[in-house]
Amino acid sequence: MVKITDVARHAGVSPSTVSYALSGKRPISDETRRRIEASIRELGYRPHAGARALASSRSNVLALVIPLRTGIHVPVVMQFAVSVVTTARRYDHDVLLLTQEEGEEGLHRVADTALVDALIVMDVQLHDPRLPLLRTLERPSVLIGFPAAAQGLTCVDLDFRAAGELCVERLAGLGHRVVALVGSPPEVYVRETAFAQRVVQGFTTAADRNGMASSVRPCPATPAAARRTAEQLLREQPALTGVVVHNEAVLEPLVDAFEQLGLRVPTDLSITAICPDELAASLRVPVTSVALPAAELGERAAELLMRRLDGDPDVPEATLLTPRLTERASTAPREAP
Amino acid sequence: MVKITDVARHAGVSPSTVSYALSGKRPISDETRRRIEASIRELGYRPHAGARALASSRSNVLALVIPLRTGIHVPVVMQFAVSVVTTARRYDHDVLLLTQEEGEEGLHRVADTALVDALIVMDVQLHDPRLPLLRTLERPSVLIGFPAAAQGLTCVDLDFRAAGELCVERLAGLGHRVVALVGSPPEVYVRETAFAQRVVQGFTTAADRNGMASSVRPCPATPAAARRTAEQLLREQPALTGVVVHNEAVLEPLVDAFEQLGLRVPTDLSITAICPDELAASLRVPVTSVALPAAELGERAAELLMRRLDGDPDVPEATLLTPRLTERASTAPREAP
DNA sequence: TGGGGACGTCGAAGCGCTTCGACGCAGGAC
DNA sequence: GTCCTGCGTCGAAGCGCTTCGACGTCCCCA
């Protein structure tokens, strides 16, 4: 293994000079820098990560905690993770993958051993047991999702409340008066996943504001459940003409189910969804949707973390991305009755 | 930060004794060990990862390189990753996430800086440009997938050739004489992804062996493409009664398409697939399938790597998992003509 | 009864890097 | 001409841990 002393000798300087040339923390003459760079290239030098971490108390590694639970759309998690990795690399950092299964002990482990400099935590619950820990940890963290009490924590998320409202407002603008929300699987609400509840709030608020008849229905992530949900909705709200779907897994089967029950989309029934754009656009009937910007969320999270690591004093605590609705083929004005 | 010297003082022993108590590399009396453990607990000591890595030349971190490309089923990648992380943790290791985008430079970086002790590389191509690098790297690696020339490399994969054969043999056993393979998207074959080609080989071999009429058709990962493929197949092979699907994304739309074209599954058309069990089992018509054992592959890969890190001299180079077929509702004996 | 292990512990060296203080030197201000 | 300042570089200390060799003690066997 070639080390910094080898480079120093080869370039005719001291090890500290090589270190400063690499880090830029002290001025180095162009001439010297060039010699050092040449030596590094020639010898194929790579600084030892452990030695660096020990001496500088910086590992240049971020921890990313991903959820494993059911009811969470896997491609979204993946997109997010990839985006975090890509962004971290732009700032010369790497990403350590943790599963939620490891729990608080896992967070402690990687933080207290200085394996990582900072953490990104996904799938935050309204009353997440990890919050106190994250607050006391000596390393900064960014949460994806907003817990009930977010003070002192850096949080990033899509504004799901506004997303719910946006979907309803769109339907209202098209003249629909009776709407329903097909939500995430029941277990997601049971464990008080923040974003799911916010969608419900936004949906309800906007429906009330517009004087619409509305109902909310969680839905397990299976085609059979989708079909059952569609049947129940039509039975209980025969005048239903607008549906908001916040459940990636059943979006397609749900559309199919409605059509098999005799409703044409969008002629008889308008559908809007909150889901990744790729999914909405790829369906047989492309669905008008509010995008779930997983990649942007990942990027933002990583960037906020880098700012905090840089000691930036005014990193915003709350970052809510504004939802954007893309019109596709699943929405139309309500037919005159 | 509490360090090993603090623990040593608190327990009334020398730092080296604490270290040996922790690593078990030298015998320590029960009495002393207990005192040390108590001190560790009381002080909340966690060894500094960087210092450890520097002194022991072991970071206890594995690199996992995941593919980003199109045509690869995301949930499978995720399952695999989670399984690697879980298994690595069993052996007290963590996992650093790299994207394929980083390429050979990324491999070099994490290996040469001693950030990681070993690497797991997914989505290996038949003639993967990373192979020479992996061979010369001073750290062990395990590949998921078999390149054309695998000597000197530790590889793990499902036996896709056998999986292809198994699907055909099942159809043959049910009396089917005309079969087709709906494969992965064309780009997967273009870049010579090993597993896709092996399925084709197995399929063709078994079909020939059984004197069946057969055809192979790559299929883009969209419902529209699935429908088009179904139509073309029926046009070109009107006597078709058996289909093997090796393409997660189109499995469901393909079944739908066949049914819409007037074929009942399994009465008129038997279908077998190579895909994750969850997917096959969750469809409206549960599909007879050969499981893609992502979790098991991940576990095997991590375990092989741990053995190599332990210096085990006879770690097998090739590990091919035997495919298992699960009978479901999509296959039936061929109707008497 | 003496010698040789095994056991349990310690001290010191060193892993490869960063960083702090110091120092020589050139240039500008007076 | 002197003094000060800032630039560019060096040497040494030290980050927190592991590991090697050494040493004392005890026990067992000849």
Side-chain angles (χ1 to χ4, degrees):
Chain A
M1 175 184 204
V2 26
K3 38 192 159 184
I4 201 170
T5 51
D6 300 329
V7 175
R9 197 175 322 115
H10 189 269
V13 297
S14 79
S16 50
T17 303
V18 176
S19 178
Y20 286 123
L22 244 34
S23 70
K25 293 191 180 172
R26 287 208 183 164
I28 297 290
S29 70
D30 278 6
E31 155 63 6
T32 306
R33 180 192 318 286
R34 262 192 290 278
R35 272 214 322 285
I36 292 177
E37 281 165 1
S39 299
I40 288 178
R41 234 170 304 121
E42 193 165 331
L43 302 181
Y45 168 67
R46 306 256 189 185
H48 186 287
R52 207 170 235 213
L54 178 57
S56 67
S57 8
R58 280 298 210 92
S59 68
N60 276 33
V61 174
L62 311 180
L64 172 63
V65 186
I66 58 165
L68 289 180
R69 330 219 239 157
T70 57
I72 301 186
H73 194 58
V74 175
V76 169
V77 175
M78 195 72 173
Q79 259 186 51
F80 184 85
V82 167
S83 161
V84 166
V85 171
T86 308
T87 308
R89 287 302 308 140
R90 275 216 307 276
Y91 293 90
D92 196 28
H93 281 243
D94 274 286
V95 174
L96 199 79
L97 191 62
L98 299 183
T99 62
Q100 213 153 57
E101 205 174 36
E102 289 217 54
E104 309 184 37
E105 160 60 19
L107 298 180
H108 248 128
R109 182 171 54 79
V110 297
D112 294 354
T113 60
L115 222 196
V116 306
D117 294 334
L119 305 96
I120 297 180
V121 178
M122 294 186 69
D123 190 32
V124 171
Q125 323 271 125
L126 224 36
H127 303 281
D128 202 297
R130 297 168 294 184
L131 298 184
L133 173 56
L134 290 172
R135 281 207 177 79
T136 57
L137 236 41
E138 62 283 35
R139 311 195 182 276
S141 53
V142 168
L143 315 194
I144 308 307
F146 277 79
Q151 314 88 336
L153 295 168
T154 307
C155 302
V156 184
D157 211 350
L158 175 65
D159 188 340
F160 277 101
R161 195 173 211 295
E165 296 192 39
L166 187 51
C167 285
V168 174
E169 290 296 346
R170 181 70 197 130
L171 294 174
L174 289 167
H176 299 279
R177 316 302 309 152
V178 181
V179 294
L181 170 66
V182 175
S184 300
E187 65 263 32
V188 172
Y189 297 94
V190 168
R191 59 178 193 247
E192 297 200 296
T193 299
F195 75 97
Q197 306 210 329
R198 297 233 163 73
V199 169
V200 174
Q201 287 169 12
F203 171 86
T204 308
T205 306
D208 291 353
R209 183 167 58 221
N210 286 279
M212 300 161 104
S214 72
S215 71
V216 174
R217 194 172 299 271
C219 178
T222 68
R227 175 152 188 112
R228 229 175 305 125
T229 301
E231 286 166 355
Q232 288 176 0
L233 281 176
L234 292 185
R235 195 176 324 121
E236 296 172 15
Q237 298 176 277
L240 183 74
T241 64
V243 173
V244 177
V245 183
H246 181 214
N247 184 328
E248 286 89 355
V250 302
L251 181 52
E252 178 166 30
L254 200 66
V255 174
D256 292 348
F258 279 124
E259 299 219 313
Q260 278 166 29
L261 290 169
L263 295 181
R264 286 155 305 164
V265 176
T267 323
D268 304 318
L269 189 71
S270 282
I271 293 182
T272 65
I274 302 172
C275 70
D277 264 343
E278 307 83 74
L279 174 61
S282 74
L283 298 184
R284 189 172 41 78
V285 181
V287 171
T288 297
S289 73
V290 169
L292 203 63
E296 189 182 350
L297 281 173
E299 186 175 352
R300 292 291 198 103
E303 279 169 352
L304 288 169
L305 219 38
M306 298 316 307
R307 282 177 60 188
R308 294 199 45 195
L309 283 174
D310 283 351
D312 184 336
D314 30 52
V315 176
E317 287 207 339
T319 303
L320 274 181
L321 301 190
T322 305
R324 301 206 185 297
L325 185 138
T326 303
E327 195 72 36
R328 296 201 181 80
S330 67
T331 40
R334 181 168 70 114
E335 297 261 287
Chain B
M1 174 184 203
V2 25
K3 37 193 160 186
I4 201 170
T5 51
D6 300 328
V7 175
R9 198 175 321 116
H10 188 271
V13 297
S14 78
S16 50
T17 303
V18 176
S19 178
Y20 286 123
L22 245 33
S23 70
K25 293 191 180 172
R26 289 211 183 162
I28 299 289
S29 70
D30 277 5
E31 153 63 5
T32 306
R33 181 195 315 288
R34 261 192 290 279
R35 274 215 321 285
I36 292 177
E37 281 165 1
S39 300
I40 288 179
R41 237 172 299 121
E42 192 165 330
L43 302 181
Y45 168 68
R46 305 256 188 183
H48 187 288
R52 208 168 235 217
L54 178 57
S56 67
S57 5
R58 279 300 208 92
S59 67
N60 275 34
V61 174
L62 310 181
L64 171 64
V65 187
I66 59 165
L68 290 181
R69 332 222 236 154
T70 58
I72 302 187
H73 194 57
V74 176
V76 169
V77 175
M78 195 71 170
Q79 259 187 52
F80 184 85
V82 167
S83 160
V84 167
V85 171
T86 307
T87 309
R89 288 301 309 139
R90 275 216 307 276
Y91 294 90
D92 196 30
H93 282 242
D94 274 286
V95 173
L96 200 78
L97 190 62
L98 299 184
T99 62
Q100 212 152 59
E101 205 175 32
E102 289 217 54
E104 308 185 37
E105 160 60 17
L107 298 180
H108 247 128
R109 183 170 54 79
V110 297
D112 294 354
T113 62
L115 222 197
V116 306
D117 293 335
L119 305 97
I120 297 180
V121 178
M122 295 185 69
D123 189 32
V124 171
Q125 323 272 126
L126 225 36
H127 303 282
D128 203 296
R130 298 167 295 184
L131 298 184
L133 173 55
L134 289 173
R135 282 208 176 79
T136 59
L137 236 40
E138 63 282 35
R139 310 193 182 278
S141 53
V142 167
L143 316 194
I144 310 305
F146 277 79
Q151 315 87 337
L153 295 168
T154 307
C155 303
V156 183
D157 211 348
L158 174 66
D159 189 339
F160 277 101
R161 196 174 211 292
E165 296 191 42
L166 187 52
C167 286
V168 174
E169 290 296 347
R170 181 71 196 128
L171 294 174
L174 289 166
H176 299 278
R177 315 303 310 152
V178 181
V179 294
L181 169 68
V182 175
S184 299
E187 65 263 33
V188 172
Y189 297 94
V190 167
R191 58 176 193 248
E192 298 200 298
T193 300
F195 75 95
Q197 306 208 330
R198 297 231 164 73
V199 169
V200 174
Q201 287 168 11
F203 171 87
T204 308
T205 306
D208 290 354
R209 184 168 56 222
N210 286 280
M212 301 160 105
S214 72
S215 71
V216 174
R217 194 172 301 269
C219 178
T222 68
R227 178 159 183 104
R228 227 174 308 124
T229 301
E231 287 166 355
Q232 287 176 1
L233 281 177
L234 292 185
R235 195 174 327 119
E236 295 173 15
Q237 298 175 276
L240 183 73
T241 64
V243 173
V244 177
V245 182
H246 180 216
N247 182 329
E248 287 89 354
V250 302
L251 180 52
E252 178 166 29
L254 200 66
V255 174
D256 292 348
F258 279 125
E259 298 219 314
Q260 278 166 30
L261 290 169
L263 295 182
R264 286 156 305 165
V265 175
T267 325
D268 304 319
L269 189 70
S270 282
I271 293 183
T272 65
I274 302 172
C275 70
D277 264 343
E278 307 85 75
L279 174 61
S282 75
L283 299 183
R284 189 173 39 79
V285 181
V287 171
T288 297
S289 73
V290 169
L292 203 62
E296 188 181 350
L297 282 172
E299 186 175 352
R300 292 292 198 100
E303 280 169 352
L304 288 169
L305 218 38
M306 298 317 306
R307 283 176 60 187
R308 293 198 46 192
L309 283 174
D310 284 351
D312 184 336
D314 31 50
V315 176
E317 288 207 339
T319 304
L320 274 180
L321 301 189
T322 305
R324 301 207 185 297
L325 185 138
T326 303
E327 195 74 33
R328 296 201 183 80
S330 68
T331 38
R334 182 168 69 116
E335 298 262 286

